[in-house]
Amino acid sequence: MAIAESVVELLLQKLVDQLIQEAIFLRGVRDQVEWLEAEFRRMRCFLKDADSKQEGDGRVKNWVQDVKDVAYDAEDVIDTFVFKIANLRRRGFVGRIRRYAFIFNELITLHKVGSQIERIKNKIRTISESRSTYGIENISQGAGSSSQDWRLTSPLAQEPDFVGFEKDLETLVAQLMEGKPRHCVISVVGMGGLGKTTLTKKIYNNTRVEKHFHSRAWISISQEYAVRDLLQNIINCYMVLSEEELKKMNIFQLRHKISEYLQEKRYLIVLDDIWTNEAWDDLKDAFPDMNNGSRVMFTTRNKDVALHADAQSLPYELRFLETDESWELFCKKTFPGQDIGCPQELEKSGREIVEKCHGLPLAIVVIGGLLSRKEPREWENVRKSISWQFVKGQPQISRILSLSYRDLPYHLKPCFLYLGVFPEDYKFRAKKLIQLWVAEGLLQRRGDETLEEVGEDCLKELIQRSMIQLANRSSSGGIKSCCIHDLLRDLSISEAKEEKFLQIQHENVDALSTSMARRLAIHHNALSEYTSLKSSTPCLRSVLIYTQVVDRLERKQEMFLYRGFKLLRVLDLNKVAIQKLPNEIGALIHLRYLGCTRSRLERLPSSIGNLQNLQTLIVTTYNKILNIPSQIEKMQQLRHFQLKSPSEVGAYQEVIGVIEGHPRLDRISNLQTLSCVKAGEWMHGCLGKLTNLRKLGICLDNEGAYAEVFYEFIVKFYCLQSLRVEGKQFPSNFPFPRFPMLSKLRLKGKLEKLPEFTEFPKNLTKLTLLFSELKQDPLATLETLKNLRVLKLRDSSFFGVEMACTAQGFPRLESFQLRRLHELEKWRVEEGAMPSLLHLHINGCLNLEKLPEGLQHITTLKKLEVWNMPDEFKERLQQDRGEDWHKIHHIPFINIRDTETTFKALAPPVLV
């Protein structure tokens, strides 16, 4: 039902929008649209009551499906009409003859849409009458809320609770570090949801394991994989190679490159979620046996795969949790952050519920997340629901997961189903997911909050319910990225398919299966196959491409995308190598989200201005400059416009958008993200009116012609959370924002001196300085910033020879980077400084004599990276014999190397 309610909600918004813009509809249509709007409002009220009834009542389910279908029909009619009228108007007002042709064609279009709406009205009358026929007109009687938020303020758990596998962890750590020196494979085997990845991640990050192995890497395999992509992922764990270099290598050369690197190293490679013998055979030659204790570790559901990889190593079969362990995990998930455990009056029901999970951790975690938001009186209903489901003979795990899905509030169900668009083992960014939810119309406004704020709350609630897992936090402590367990992903896909909400296409494309899809996600290498189909899918609203390899579209494939799907709302070309956007993109007037995340774009076409409904535009390009036409001012619904470089070149090259002409960007009043663009004429008269900006990145010209305009209006950006400014030189009175919401600040350019600590934003959590040329030690000021978690001093930001961290300085700093500070010679760290530091990165500070003595007192430090430093400096860090070894011997992960073989530590996703 939630999907039907979401469909109707989206349609209502569309109808209201068109009624407000009355000129869109000509006489004779407005009355019909008003009738539709009123009728669908009545249906929406009934749909909310139907949510809790349709699972057990086929009549209600059929009625809900009828409502959804007619809402889709109405949406198609309205969108097609608007599309045709927009096309006619673009070419109709040139010359008298063309004007007459336009009027004639518009009347024909009007007649057709009137007839279509009349047919829909008849369907709606039939559906309304059928409520009496089905005997469901009084469904709302007795319906109550099923998800009271009695512990809404429970904190988010950053890591899954680790219960019951302590002995398993010790056993497997011993197998990795002890035994024969031969290269061997250690396999953790068990069914989905048993905790294989959680246990293996715990082992991978174990302090003794980190110290024992010279090199480590974590690679996710999954059911669908491309050998070349896997090999490139392994290479990217260890080396920085350009895309061109990788393309020149065939599969044999890629294997040899990995093998060559791993020679003489004691390494640990984790292959998470490997399914087939073929997957191991495709990779095994890359892992040399140097008889030095190197290990490969598997997680797999198939014992035969483990035996095939290494017949001499017995697979480690993961057990189910014992009764007491299950209860402990259940209490931790159901009562997070509480030491009292389960209240006595709930224990009987709780233990019976846990017993139904039969020791499967994922089932316990999910059911615990469900009950954590239930009132005590509702526990018995949950227990009975599980028992009732057992009669149906479905697989146990599916029953429990389905119960948690059905218990989601109606507004969360479409949000959960949408997660199926991402490939297996994909770590998705929270901001992107929320932007997609907004574009799809899955979020409903709530008071004065932005839709993005509503989306963040929905994401938090799904995490609290253990339906998705938190993977990474941002420097400000917010949600940065998430992932979803493959069993829960399977659930979202199966429910989405049943609801006709989403279709996933793999390599074997079935044209008939896509004909009724509203959303299409193309995974693996199915793009070429799909675009070669002759059949069209006129009802398609979203196309999201997540190929595992970079595809280069041919012209006919581009036209298939830009001309074949006229009603698209979302087009996400992830990893598709777009050379340029054709003018035809401007015909997709319903588009709300456009992502080009692997492009070589040099400019956007002027037709981009036709996308007046576009909310999010994300462009990642290998070029340094992206030219933006002045027609951008027409995109009045734009909320997020972000330009960035691909991750592999982002540290060395930053893309800048050049806005042409003098567009009136103040017309884009909803703009929240604008990053990163060059200052120009567009700033005059409009910059100060962009007061809804949350994220701003701007490049001031070398002459500073527009700097004064920028400085004048920057103080008006009260909602700003992230600011990035690039310029040749900043004035001594640079207006450092003091806004309560600003958490990230990045300044690239000369600074005379840092302001006093009282002038910095109070909630600043991340600060990056580049080319500042500061002569006074910046740490004296920065170490007093109480909320600072990430500090990056890069590329001549400090011209002094000595700096110091005093006791109690940087109380919350977790990550500290010093890069290319060529004048720096001495660095002093007093005992008690940086008590929360986790990661220290020193890169290219060529005159730095040695590491500070005080590092030995920072017991929290987990990772030290030393890149591009002189041989004398690196010699001091050698294990057991280096002069500075006593300062760092307690650090689990130490990486010392040059850029040519830069190591990247890949942390595994946080999965149950």
Side-chain angles (χ1 to χ4, degrees), residues 636-691:
Q636 297 183 17
Q637 298 302 315
L638 195 62
R639 306 167 74 90
H640 306 282
F641 185 15
Q642 184 161 0
L643 314 177
K644 49 188 177 179
S645 301
S647 56
E648 65 266 28
V649 300
Y652 309 100
Q653 172 184 307
E654 299 167 353
V655 61
I656 300 294
V658 177
I659 301 177
E660 300 170 347
H662 188 187
R664 293 287 306 277
L665 293 194
D666 57 314
R667 296 174 178 172
I668 313 178
S669 58
N670 293 320
L671 197 62
Q672 298 179 27
T673 302
L674 182 60
S675 180
C676 182
V677 295
K678 187 176 181 180
E681 288 293 325
W682 62 271
M683 296 169 58
H684 289 289
C686 75
L687 185 62
K689 298 179 181 179
L690 300 178
T691 54

Side-chain angles (χ1 to χ4, degrees), residues 10-45:
L10 183 61
L11 176 63
L12 282 171
Q13 186 60 51
K14 186 186 302 292
L15 295 176
V16 169
D17 289 346
Q18 302 304 342
L19 288 170
I20 292 173
Q21 303 172 33
E22 187 174 354
I24 282 285
F25 289 100
L26 304 182
R27 57 185 178 277
V29 179
R30 181 179 176 86
D31 290 345
Q32 293 173 302
V33 174
E34 287 178 336
W35 187 92
L36 288 177
E37 194 253 350
E39 194 64 24
F40 275 114
R41 285 195 184 278
R42 284 189 284 271
M43 286 184 174
R44 182 184 61 176
C45 296

Side-chain angles (χ1 to χ4, degrees), residues 128-142:
S128 297
E129 293 169 0
S130 67
R131 283 177 57 187
S132 299
T133 304
Y134 290 157
I136 59 175
E137 64 270 20
N138 296 319
I139 192 173
S140 60
Q141 293 180 2

Side-chain angles (χ1 to χ4, degrees), residues 592-836:
R592 287 164 170 76
Y593 182 102
L594 176 59
C596 303
T597 55
R598 198 78 176 183
S599 77
R600 295 189 180 275
L601 293 178
E602 296 180 357
R603 71 171 287 112
L604 297 176
S606 58
S607 63
I608 199 88
N610 295 333
L611 306 182
Q612 297 182 27
N613 290 305
L614 195 68
Q615 299 171 347
T616 300
L617 176 58
I618 308 291
V619 177
T620 302
T621 177
Y622 286 90
N623 292 303
K624 294 182 179 180
I625 299 294
L626 179 74
N627 291 293
I628 304 165
S630 60
Q631 285 83 355
I632 188 179
E633 69 177 10
K634 299 178 182 179
M635 302 162 67
Q636 297 183 17
Q637 298 302 315
L638 195 62
R639 306 167 74 90
H640 306 282
F641 185 15
Q642 184 161 0
L643 314 177
K644 49 188 177 179
S645 301
S647 56
E648 65 266 28
V649 300
Y652 309 100
Q653 172 184 307
E654 299 167 353
V655 61
I656 300 294
V658 177
I659 301 177
E660 300 170 347
H662 188 187
R664 293 287 306 277
L665 293 194
D666 57 314
R667 296 174 178 172
I668 313 178
S669 58
N670 293 320
L671 197 62
Q672 298 179 27
T673 302
L674 182 60
S675 180
C676 182
V677 295
K678 187 176 181 180
E681 288 293 325
W682 62 271
M683 296 169 58
H684 289 289
C686 75
L687 185 62
K689 298 179 181 179
L690 300 178
T691 54
N692 285 320
L693 280 175
R694 263 69 170 174
K695 181 175 182 179
L696 174 62
I698 193 164
C699 177
L700 303 176
D701 64 317
N702 290 338
E703 290 73 31
Y706 303 102
E708 290 185 8
V709 179
F710 173 75
Y711 296 143
E712 178 183 355
F713 294 113
I714 182 66
V715 294
K716 295 186 178 182
F717 297 164
Y718 305 111
C719 299
L720 210 59
Q721 299 171 0
S722 174
L723 175 62
R724 167 184 167 183
V725 187
E726 178 178 339
K728 184 177 181 180
Q729 181 171 349
F730 298 120
S732 56
N733 61 342
F734 181 85
F736 278 78
R738 306 179 190 179
F739 312 135
M741 298 177 66
L742 192 77
S743 62
K744 298 178 182 179
L745 180 61
R746 184 180 189 271
L747 297 177
K748 183 178 180 180
K750 186 176 181 180
L751 274 169
E752 290 297 328
K753 66 174 184 176
L754 283 179
E756 298 298 324
F757 77 94
T758 55
E759 297 182 50
F760 278 95
K762 292 184 178 180
N763 290 320
L764 192 67
T765 60
K766 182 176 182 179
L767 175 63
T768 304
L769 297 178
L770 303 93
F771 301 103
S772 307
E773 301 182 13
L774 293 167
K775 295 180 176 59
Q776 296 180 351
D777 181 4
L779 302 189
T781 297
L782 300 180
E783 69 177 5
T784 60
L785 301 180
K786 296 182 179 180
N787 293 309
L788 195 64
R789 296 185 181 183
V790 178
L791 175 60
K792 297 182 180 182
L793 300 179
R794 295 167 45 181
D795 305 316
S796 303
S797 58
F798 177 47
F799 267 4
V801 297
E802 185 174 355
M803 63 182 188
C805 299
T806 62
Q808 283 76 51
F810 293 113
R812 300 188 68 182
L813 193 68
E814 297 175 358
S815 179
F816 192 10
Q817 182 185 86
L818 303 173
R819 191 181 89 173
R820 297 177 191 163
L821 305 183
H822 297 309
E823 307 298 321
L824 182 63
E825 297 177 6
K826 301 180 186 298
W827 178 25
R828 180 167 49 87
V829 174
E830 295 182 1
E831 184 175 355
M834 299 185 287
S836 304

